[in-house]
Amino acid sequence: MFAERLKNAMKTAGYDVRSSVLEREFNLRYWGKPITYQAVRRWLRGDSIPSQEKLQVLAHWLAIDPHQLRYGDGGQLAVKEPLAVWGTSPSNEERQLLALYRSLPIEQRKLVHEVMETFAKAYATKERSDN
């Protein structure tokens, strides 16, 4: 049943239900070791279920509750927190940077992510020391 829920979530989110699409989109969002085509194929065939960490990434990407994705509706009662929405529209420069970032291979994306985190932490530390 997990495979059917995953396929439905992909369709609802506007994605083609293909292993290659799932592999690409998942690896763009997951900061661990990239998953293989064969692994996502097993997910879509119902041969295996991803770990909880990977399930969380799938659920966030597909805008579905992780519990619902893994187990189905089952009458779950929960407090729902809305997904974050950007306060302002991205500028042209931000859109260009995002396009460049998306054109990079996954390993370079991870490196760019680490560099940005390092700058952000350094800036936050500097800002605190200035106050």
Side-chain angles (χ1 to χ4, degrees):
M1 295 303 294
F2 168 77
E4 290 307 311
R5 289 188 294 274
L6 178 57
K7 290 175 190 176
N8 288 335
M10 287 180 70
K11 285 178 196 170
T12 301
Y15 291 92
D16 289 334
V17 179
R18 294 193 334 244
S19 298
S20 59
V21 172
L22 179 55
E23 176 193 18
R24 180 190 68 233
E25 295 298 325
F26 179 86
N27 284 329
L28 290 175
R29 293 161 176 82
Y30 183 63
W31 294 103
K33 181 181 175 188
I35 58 168
T36 64
Y37 177 87
Q38 290 78 16
V40 296
R41 191 164 172 245
R42 286 191 299 269
W43 295 351
L44 288 173
R45 285 193 323 213
D47 295 338
S48 67
I49 296 176
S51 67
Q52 188 63 24
E53 177 186 25
K54 291 178 176 134
L55 187 86
Q56 293 285 336
V57 173
L58 286 170
H60 187 264
W61 162 47
L62 297 169
I64 186 171
D65 180 72
H67 183 86
Q68 183 181 2
L69 182 58
R70 182 177 290 270
Y71 301 108
D73 279 327
Q76 172 193 352
L77 298 176
V79 175
K80 299 286 184 189
E81 181 178 322
L83 293 175
V85 178
W86 288 32
T88 60
S89 297
S91 69
N92 191 40
E93 179 184 28
E94 291 167 329
R95 284 191 294 275
Q96 288 174 342
L97 285 172
L98 183 57
L100 287 171
Y101 174 81
R102 288 180 173 168
S103 70
L104 295 173
I106 191 71
E107 291 304 316
Q108 281 74 25
R109 286 185 190 192
K110 290 178 182 179
L111 180 62
V112 169
H113 183 262
E114 290 172 12
V115 169
M116 290 178 69
E117 281 184 334
T118 302
F119 276 118
K121 288 175 187 173
Y123 181 75
T125 303
K126 180 183 181 298
E127 196 172 76
R128 276 183 290 205
S129 66
D130 289 345
N131 290 333

